[in-house]
Amino acid sequence: MKQAALAPVEGGALAKTFPPPANADKDLAPVITAGQTVESLFAKGKQRIVKLWDELGVSDAQRLQFAQNAMAVPTVENVQLINEEIQRLLDRRNSAVQVEKAIEVREGFLYLLQELAERYVRGAVDQARDIRALRSLVTQFRNSCLDVVEAVLRWREACKSTQPYLWKGVSYLHKMNSDLFFLSHSRL
């Protein structure tokens, strides 16, 4: 780690300042520029972490546990802990976004399969064309199912949890188990 320097701050006092780390990611962590004090980095980090906690619905117990360990005193070590927690929360948020995108794609293919099954029920079919469409849809649907499962696994790793991924209040993996029952009664 680079050495801290003393720099004047408001009121003429001196405070420790740190140069930015060589691998600082400007988009993901609080911006660290030369001349910032530990106190200012600490304050910005605390604000950022609270926003992420609110956004992700982190429990009060988890917040309190982290705050007791890293948010009491502005030290270099605590700033590092806060930045690591921010990165972990960003990874968690990004993995949840990836799950939502994968679910959206799968739900689109599920809708198309339901429409095709309904056309068969109504008798409005061109059998050769619809069989080709079914084959294409089934392959894409299967791939989208795999994408959802993989995204949920990545989300669980990011959260360090085995909790189910809830979508509209239901475990999406359990929903996947049952949302094709309509095909068992279809002539497809």
Side-chain angles (χ1 to χ4, degrees), residues 3-168:
Q3 294 293 325
L6 293 178
V9 292
E10 256 182 66
L14 294 178
K16 288 184 182 178
T17 61
F18 295 86
N23 61 351
D25 187 336
K26 293 178 184 150
D27 294 331
L28 298 178
V31 177
I32 300 173
T33 59
Q36 286 188 315
T37 65
V38 171
E39 290 80 10
S40 69
L41 293 172
F42 184 77
K44 287 179 185 178
K46 281 175 57 173
Q47 289 174 347
R48 181 90 188 268
I49 207 167
V50 168
K51 286 180 185 177
L52 285 167
W53 281 342
D54 291 343
E55 179 184 331
L56 295 171
V58 173
S59 72
D60 289 340
Q62 290 174 315
R63 293 176 189 217
L64 183 60
Q65 181 182 4
F66 182 82
Q68 287 174 340
N69 292 328
M71 295 175 76
V73 180
T75 65
V76 173
E77 293 78 19
N78 285 344
V79 170
Q80 289 173 332
L81 288 173
I82 289 171
N83 284 338
E84 289 168 5
E85 178 70 1
I86 288 170
Q87 186 61 52
R88 189 186 69 75
L89 292 168
L90 288 170
D91 291 344
R92 179 177 162 186
R93 180 179 66 185
N94 292 338
S95 64
V97 168
Q98 294 305 313
V99 173
E100 290 293 324
K101 287 179 180 180
I103 287 173
E104 186 177 320
V105 169
R106 183 184 179 276
E107 288 292 314
F109 286 124
L110 180 62
Y111 176 78
L112 293 173
L113 282 170
Q114 289 170 332
E115 275 192 340
L116 189 58
E118 287 173 16
R119 277 200 312 242
Y120 259 77
V121 169
R122 290 191 312 264
V125 294
D126 174 355
Q127 193 168 7
R129 183 192 65 183
D130 287 344
I131 292 297
R132 283 192 307 272
L134 178 63
R135 285 184 181 143
S136 174
L137 274 175
V138 166
T139 300
Q140 293 172 328
F141 182 73
R142 180 183 60 85
N143 290 338
S144 69
C145 291
L146 294 172
D147 291 343
V148 168
V149 171
E150 290 171 354
V152 168
L153 289 174
R154 284 190 301 273
W155 173 80
R156 283 181 175 173
E157 288 172 5
C159 293
K160 295 179 176 48
S161 171
T162 58
Q163 294 180 0
Y165 186 86
L166 298 180
W167 187 74
K168 297 184 178 180

